[in-house]
Amino acid sequence: MAETVSERQIGDVVLDLRNISLAFGGVNALSDISFDVREHEIRAIIGPNGAGKSSMLNVINGVYQPQQGEVVLRGQRFEKMSPGHAARAGIARTFQNIALFKGMSVLDNIMTGRNLKMKSNILQQAVWWGPAQREELAHREKVEEIIDFLEIQHIRKTPVGRLPYGLQKRVDLGRALAMEPSILLLDEPMAGMNIEEKQDMSRFILDVNDQLGTTIVLIEHDMGVVMDISDRIVVLDYGKKIGDDTPDEVRANPEVIAAYLGASH
Amino acid sequence: MAATTDAAASGSALDTFPRWLLQHERVRGGKTATREKDLGIWQSWTWQQVAAETRAMAAGLAELGFQRGDHLAIIGDNRPRLYWAMCAAQMLGGIPVPLYQDAVAAEMVFALQDAEIRIAIVEDQEQVDKLLEVREQCPALAHILYDDPRGMRHYKQTCVQSVDEIVAMGGIHNRNQPEFIPGEIAQGRGDDVAIMLYTSGTTGKPKGVCQTHSALIAAATGGCSFDNISPADEILSYLPMAWVGDNLFSYAQALVAGFTVNCPESGETVMTDLREIGPTYYFAPPRVFENLLTQVMIRMEDAGAVKRGLFHYFMAVAKRCGAEILDGKPVAAADRLLYAMGNLLIYGPLRNVLGMSRIRVAYTAGAAIGPDLFRFYRSIGINLKQLYGQTETCAYVCLQPDREIEFDSVGKPAPQVEIRIAANGEILVRGPMLLKEYFKRPDATAEVIDAEGWFHTGDAGFLDAAGQLKIIDRAKDVGKLATGAMFAPNYIENKLKFFPHIKEAVAFGHDRDMVCAFVNIDMGAVGNWAERRGLAYSGYTDLAGKAEVHELIQECVEKVNAELAHDAMLAETQIHRFLILHKELDPDDDELTRTRKVRRSFIAEKYGVLIDALYAGKASQYIETVVKFEDGRSGKVAADLGIRDVKTFPAGAAAKQAA
């Protein structure tokens, strides 16, 4: 792909979450959680089921509004982040339950990720004339680069609904990448995959991070994967933060072991 | 370069591949030479661009110290750059050595050491990693050049460079010294080694087969004139570059005939790319044709009733007269009319789906192709033919001529090729396409090429009445019946296995007075057959023991006998008695090799009691066998096996009766 960083270097804090608390009625989903994400790093959020991991991602891209706390994105403070604003600020995400158009081809699905970048109006697009045509060709080129990057040329024209689960996940990643995000949120990118598919997905995540310089925040259950690819890990348990460190330190943290990893680790 | 035009254009001077490249640059410089699909679009290069790029690559290689006689390893999928690299090496008088791209690193070590590889041109990161892994074992390896830069940014090793850099370097070199490359090309000679291919080496270490420019050019010229291949033809290159077949079709013939080579986007897109390009010339091993047919059949089963009905009706018409129409034989007018309708409704669209609408000539080789499969493609109007050859003969010994297709032969000797059958049935070949030698193995070379220049193929076969060659077996497997008649077990087993209901077969007969066989039914096909008949069964052993199944298999065996009776040489080896084994032959029980070849002597020993029963004329035999399950446990399978006598036919007379 065109823009590549010269060297993968973890930079300054780009996203800072300060004292986030989120409750649904009487249930505290997140209580007083703070952590930051640095530029170009792979940041993992782990925790048992119901620990509040997905809620955390939803707070980051503005789907949920926390009752307390603030999100600081590149120095700009948001008490209320909205999904639209998050998208315009370069935050893209994939979903635990794949959110693609099943009847549309892989190519068209990834093209929808370019929606935000399209400048021509609906009338111009409808008649596919002048600037709209040029624009679509340029976007198509970008989408082809993503298809090449994710090695899904052979299913370019296949309706997404006909694809096996592992490939759908890859297309979902492609759709998120089409936004050319600076921060990518991945909600369980390897759920339900076999070992080979997990290896492939890990490699794509590393490639995205390395070659496109994208900062990645991911939720994942597979400890092997998380420990292998993350730079730093946040551990949540029942809405509380119980650990925040490098994989090795997290692995050694007694509280984390008790809550999540179990005796076998 | 003006001085060389006349001499080179005369034809006699076109004795190396670089000279052919320059010839095309002059004669059809603006025509497309190579295409590759990238980012969803077919990119093309003209002969002029290819020649310029190749010259630059050659100069770049020279700057890295590549010299006359050096070997250049080429590893990767079919990428244009990798083909050009072969020619670039040849420009400098070097020898390209393509290796199988899916081999693991350890398997490459032997070739890298044997050929003393100093420079390797590889496709991508995957191949670079493999070479770096074995670098300590290959101290000569000094430069690894990659084509695709993806993932390569962090490689700090000085030996790793991109092909782009080399081409840029060579471009500058050529501007400063424009006469260097032409001078190098001028030094090339027809009897220089053009390429080295490693044979797979089923026994012992692989051997490097050295082929000269003149051998490959003779094979390519002969093949192209045989089928009137012209610069207007198109081919899709997707078979491993290390295979002699791809070398002949995508490199040697492409350069000699000047047709366009198309490289697919990736291994998985071949089907789509095939449809988009619509090649006119096509080459594939039988399993590719088999997979295509299976896909069509599965999709037809899912189609609507009308479509399915039309399909089956017209496929029956095609089966009756399609192959004959293609061969130009007389066919009744009514059938011709039906076939024309079928062509409009079914065969044409089917060819289109297969990406074979424009095919003039398609070849298959590498293994025996089932007659039904072969007939299917011919009957829908695809001119599929067989050829026979091996790495040592540039895959060029026999070709099937148009209109003289025999389903079970591999055709007539190709132009300039002589064939002789030795006393033991082995096929001997002589001609300009023979290998120069095995690399560093004069002992092996002396073993296969005798004093009179005949190459010993190791295959047994015979020339039939029409002068077409029939391959029957590996020469070392061929035995003799007690009567002295030639016994070719593989040939008989293959004939049996071509029936979808038979999965494996083992024929016995060496030093005996008649041929008997073990048969394994195909659980999928026979199971399906039984279900449609409402025949209940509990598992393999039960199904294999049913009288109805014996009936079904007996029909197959009798058809094989009828075919065998047709050939005077094999008529005596008709199968007299057979039984259906109570368990499937399995590599876990050491009955098959991992590549699913029958281990005949092991089976003969293990099931000695069954063989005795076959030859003793018993009607049934009880047997108990220990089997290993996949989880490591073992169990027992026991059964009373029925043995059947089969009808045999008098030699030469029977083909019609059973068919």
Side-chain angles (χ1 to χ4, degrees):
Chain A
M1 307 189 86
E3 68 277 62
T4 50
V5 289
S6 60
E7 185 69 21
R8 180 173 174 260
Q9 258 172 357
I10 293 178
D12 298 333
V13 172
V14 284
L15 179 67
D16 196 7
L17 297 143
R18 297 182 185 159
N19 310 101
I20 302 282
S21 292
L22 175 72
F24 298 106
V27 182
N28 279 331
L30 299 168
S31 35
D32 197 27
I33 305 236
S34 302
F35 69 93
D36 59 21
V37 179
R38 293 171 178 277
E39 184 130 38
H40 302 319
E41 80 172 337
I42 298 184
R43 189 73 151 119
I45 305 175
I46 64 171
N49 285 330
K53 304 184 298 290
S54 292
S55 299
M56 198 67 235
L57 282 198
N58 283 330
V59 168
I60 295 176
N61 78 332
V63 174
Y64 294 158
Q65 324 255 295
Q67 280 84 2
Q68 277 175 39
E70 57 189 15
V71 178
V72 182
L73 183 62
R74 291 199 185 81
Q76 205 184 342
R77 290 175 47 195
F78 293 93
E79 273 174 40
K80 279 194 174 148
M81 174 71 95
S82 74
H85 191 92
R88 276 188 293 278
I91 300 179
R93 77 171 287 182
T94 66
F95 295 87
Q96 194 173 351
N97 309 312
I98 297 166
L100 292 168
F101 300 98
K102 302 265 181 216
M104 272 161 52
S105 71
V106 168
L107 184 71
D108 290 340
N109 264 289
I110 298 178
M111 206 73 170
T112 60
R114 302 292 297 173
N115 194 17
L116 200 65
K117 305 228 172 238
M118 302 228 180
K119 301 285 185 294
S120 52
N121 63 43
I122 193 162
L123 202 68
Q124 287 171 321
Q125 287 182 14
V127 295
W128 207 58
W129 168 82
Q133 186 184 353
R134 281 196 297 279
E135 189 178 32
E136 177 156 338
L137 290 180
H139 285 303
R140 171 70 191 267
E141 201 176 327
K142 193 78 210 166
V143 168
E144 283 292 347
E145 282 175 12
I146 290 166
I147 287 176
D148 186 61
F149 186 83
L150 296 176
E151 294 166 13
I152 46 178
Q153 299 99 329
H154 59 295
I155 49 167
R156 188 186 278 128
K157 300 269 170 74
T158 313
V160 163
R162 290 225 317 253
L163 296 175
Y165 186 72
L167 277 177
Q168 292 196 14
K169 282 282 211 190
R170 219 189 283 180
V171 176
D172 198 23
L173 176 62
R175 183 198 45 72
L177 284 180
M179 279 177 61
E180 297 177 61
S182 56
I183 301 175
L184 183 59
L185 313 179
L186 303 173
D187 196 348
E188 300 210 15
M190 334 249 173
M193 286 189 172
N194 63 33
I195 299 227
E196 204 178 321
E197 288 169 333
K198 279 182 184 173
Q199 284 173 345
D200 281 351
M201 190 48 112
S202 303
R203 189 167 62 82
F204 286 122
I205 292 172
L206 287 170
D207 279 357
V208 167
N209 176 248
D210 179 57
Q211 298 193 30
L212 312 182
T214 312
T215 307
I216 289 170
V217 181
L218 75 106
I219 296 174
E220 185 48 56
H221 264 305
D222 187 313
M223 275 305 119
V225 169
V226 170
M227 295 293 169
D228 273 357
I229 70 173
S230 318
D231 296 306
R232 290 189 300 155
I233 300 174
V234 180
V235 190
L236 301 183
D237 190 19
Y238 291 110
K240 294 196 180 66
K241 182 168 107 172
I242 58 169
D244 185 356
D245 224 321
T246 62
D248 288 337
E249 296 291 330
V250 164
R251 206 184 267 130
N253 182 335
E255 209 177 337
V256 175
I257 294 171
Y260 190 38
L261 297 178
S264 65
H265 280 263
Chain B
M1 267 184 291
T4 59
T5 39
D6 286 338
S10 68
S12 59
L14 291 175
D15 55 355
T16 67
F17 288 109
R19 284 181 192 149
W20 272 104
L21 178 61
L22 298 191
Q23 165 78 356
H24 293 304
E25 187 190 18
R26 273 191 297 272
V27 176
R28 51 184 65 85
K31 183 190 167 288
T32 302
T34 313
R35 259 189 228 110
E36 182 193 26
K37 196 172 181 189
D38 188 31
L39 298 181
I41 296 171
W42 286 97
Q43 318 282 344
S44 17
W45 290 266
T46 64
W47 284 104
Q48 271 163 358
Q49 288 169 318
V50 171
E53 184 90 356
T54 308
R55 273 195 294 266
M57 209 188 287
L61 286 173
E63 292 236 327
L64 293 182
F66 189 80
Q67 286 175 352
R68 197 155 289 276
D70 279 358
H71 291 92
L72 175 75
I74 293 177
I75 313 168
D77 285 328
N78 316 64
R79 299 267 78 99
R81 282 270 192 83
L82 299 188
Y83 284 112
W84 303 340
M86 302 214 315
C87 199
Q90 290 168 349
M91 282 181 171
L92 301 172
I95 303 154
V97 184
L99 300 177
Y100 280 96
Q101 74 275 25
D102 52 1
V104 297
E107 287 170 14
M108 293 181 178
V109 172
F110 176 79
L112 293 171
Q113 289 173 341
D114 188 50
E116 293 159 40
I117 299 291
R118 219 172 64 75
I119 306 180
I121 293 195
V122 304
E123 185 191 5
D124 54 11
Q125 185 185 14
E126 180 188 348
Q127 309 294 349
V128 172
D129 286 347
K130 282 194 221 167
L131 291 186
L132 289 177
E133 191 183 322
V134 296
R135 208 175 150 221
E136 285 190 356
Q137 291 158 266
C138 311
L141 186 61
H143 298 281
I144 303 170
L145 313 178
Y146 58 86
D147 182 22
D148 181 356
R150 175 168 182 184
M152 296 300 305
R153 281 191 303 114
H154 300 307
Y155 285 67
K156 297 281 179 267
Q157 291 90 337
T158 47
C159 62
V160 180
Q161 272 175 292
S162 81
V163 176
D164 285 328
E165 283 175 58
I166 302 305
V167 170
M169 205 159 79
I172 296 168
H173 183 284
N174 282 346
R175 267 198 300 284
N176 296 335
Q177 293 176 277
E179 62 301 316
F180 170 71
I181 293 292
E184 288 289 316
I185 295 173
Q187 286 182 48
R189 288 172 14 176
D191 55 3
D192 286 345
V193 174
I195 194 163
M196 186 158 92
L197 298 169
Y198 278 90
T199 56
S200 47
T202 39
T203 49
K205 292 259 179 212
K207 293 180 291 233
V209 178
C210 300
Q211 289 290 6
T212 62
H213 286 274
S214 44
L216 271 163
I217 289 173
T221 314
C224 290
S225 66
F226 191 84
D227 287 305
N228 297 318
I229 302 302
S230 78
D233 280 303
E234 302 258 355
I235 197 167
L236 187 75
S237 301
Y238 65 100
L239 296 164
M241 291 180 68
W243 188 39
V244 62
D246 186 65
N247 249 283
L248 179 64
F249 281 72
S250 306
Y251 187 75
Q253 291 196 351
L255 273 172
V256 166
F259 59 70
T260 307
V261 170
N262 297 284
C263 297
E265 190 166 20
S266 79
E268 289 94 40
T269 59
V270 169
M271 272 302 288
T272 325
D273 297 335
L274 193 65
R275 259 203 306 278
E276 287 174 2
I277 287 298
T280 57
Y281 190 34
Y282 185 65
F283 183 47
R287 77 186 146 73
V288 171
F289 288 104
E290 203 171 326
N291 290 346
L292 285 176
L293 177 59
T294 312
Q295 280 176 25
V296 168
M297 287 306 180
I298 289 172
R299 281 168 64 177
M300 269 335 288
E301 289 309 310
D302 294 338
V306 176
K307 277 189 195 164
R308 213 169 47 227
L310 273 176
F311 177 79
H312 288 301
Y313 176 76
F314 282 110
M315 283 324 296
V317 172
K319 195 172 180 183
R320 199 161 66 226
C321 64
E324 284 73 13
I325 288 175
L326 191 64
D327 283 346
K329 289 181 184 154
V331 170
D335 272 350
R336 261 182 204 283
L337 187 68
L338 276 175
Y339 189 84
M341 279 173 64
N343 199 25
L344 210 62
L345 292 168
I346 302 291
Y347 320 136
L350 186 56
R351 286 197 301 269
N352 192 26
V353 166
L354 293 167
M356 298 185 178
S357 291
R358 301 206 299 155
I359 283 185
R360 288 199 305 117
V361 185
Y363 273 107
T364 181
I369 185 166
D372 283 346
L373 186 64
F374 191 55
R375 244 189 112 83
F376 169 82
Y377 284 97
R378 288 196 64 81
S379 72
I380 60 167
I382 293 165
N383 188 15
L384 176 62
K385 307 198 284 182
Q386 298 182 61
L387 63 79
Y388 168 71
Q390 42 278 105
T391 312
E392 288 86 344
T393 60
C394 298
Y396 176 80
V397 172
C398 282
L399 298 164
Q400 286 185 322
D402 283 341
R403 290 163 191 267
E404 291 175 51
I405 306 297
E406 292 176 14
F407 291 107
D408 53 355
S409 92
V410 292
K412 291 186 169 170
Q416 301 192 60
V417 176
E418 290 176 82
I419 288 185
R420 210 181 75 190
I421 307 296
N424 65 350
E426 185 172 1
I427 302 163
L428 309 184
V429 186
R430 194 159 66 177
M433 72 302 164
L434 288 189
L435 74 160
K436 184 178 184 189
E437 62 192 353
Y438 289 115
F439 188 60
K440 291 189 198 162
R441 289 290 302 277
D443 57 320
T445 314
E447 232 168 70
V448 295
I449 303 187
D450 64 20
E452 292 167 62
W454 291 98
F455 170 72
H456 292 242
T457 59
D459 291 326
F462 62 94
L463 289 162
D464 68 7
Q468 301 220 20
L469 182 68
K470 285 191 183 174
I471 312 292
I472 51 181
D473 213 333
R474 293 296 297 166
K476 65 178 167 50
D477 289 340
V478 173
K480 277 195 165 30
L481 294 188
T483 60
M486 185 167 67
F487 166 61
N490 261 319
Y491 184 74
I492 299 170
E493 288 158 11
N494 273 337
K495 277 200 177 299
L496 285 168
K497 285 196 290 189
F498 286 147
F499 290 98
H501 296 135
I502 298 180
K503 185 163 185 195
E504 286 297 343
V506 194
F508 302 97
H510 185 57
D511 286 340
R512 303 206 183 243
D513 50 2
M514 62 178 179
V515 176
C516 294
F518 291 171
V519 171
N520 255 176
I521 54 172
D522 186 291
M523 196 57 191
V526 178
N528 199 322
W529 173 88
E531 256 167 53
R532 271 183 283 127
R533 265 160 195 72
L535 200 64
Y537 61 95
S538 61
Y540 181 88
T541 310
D542 185 28
L543 183 62
K546 298 258 182 237
E548 291 89 339
V549 173
H550 276 91
E551 218 44 70
L552 176 78
I553 299 301
Q554 181 157 1
E555 270 174 40
C556 300
V557 176
E558 280 171 5
K559 278 183 195 159
V560 169
N561 278 350
E563 283 174 36
L564 288 171
H566 201 52
D567 283 320
M569 289 196 58
L570 301 170
E572 277 190 55
T573 57
Q574 291 180 56
I575 301 159
H576 285 72
R577 289 162 63 75
F578 80 96
L579 60 80
I580 302 178
L581 282 176
H582 54 300
K583 71 175 277 288
E584 290 184 274
L585 297 175
D586 198 314
D588 288 347
D589 294 327
D590 300 327
E591 292 152 339
L592 301 177
T593 64
R594 286 284 155 200
T595 52
R596 303 202 72 85
K597 289 195 181 108
V598 163
R599 299 179 62 186
R600 199 169 288 109
S601 53
F602 178 87
I603 293 170
E605 206 170 295
K606 180 169 179 180
Y607 298 109
V609 54
L610 294 180
I611 296 178
D612 291 344
L614 278 169
Y615 284 100
K618 287 192 193 171
S620 74
Q621 174 66 44
Y622 177 77
I623 183 152
E624 249 181 32
T625 314
V626 176
V627 292
K628 274 182 232 150
F629 298 115
E630 277 183 13
D631 60 3
R633 289 178 303 128
S634 56
K636 254 186 200 157
V637 180
D640 216 2
L641 301 186
I643 298 177
R644 293 232 170 181
D645 289 306
V646 189
K647 187 162 63 165
T648 56
F649 302 87
K656 283 276 181 296
Q657 275 174 283

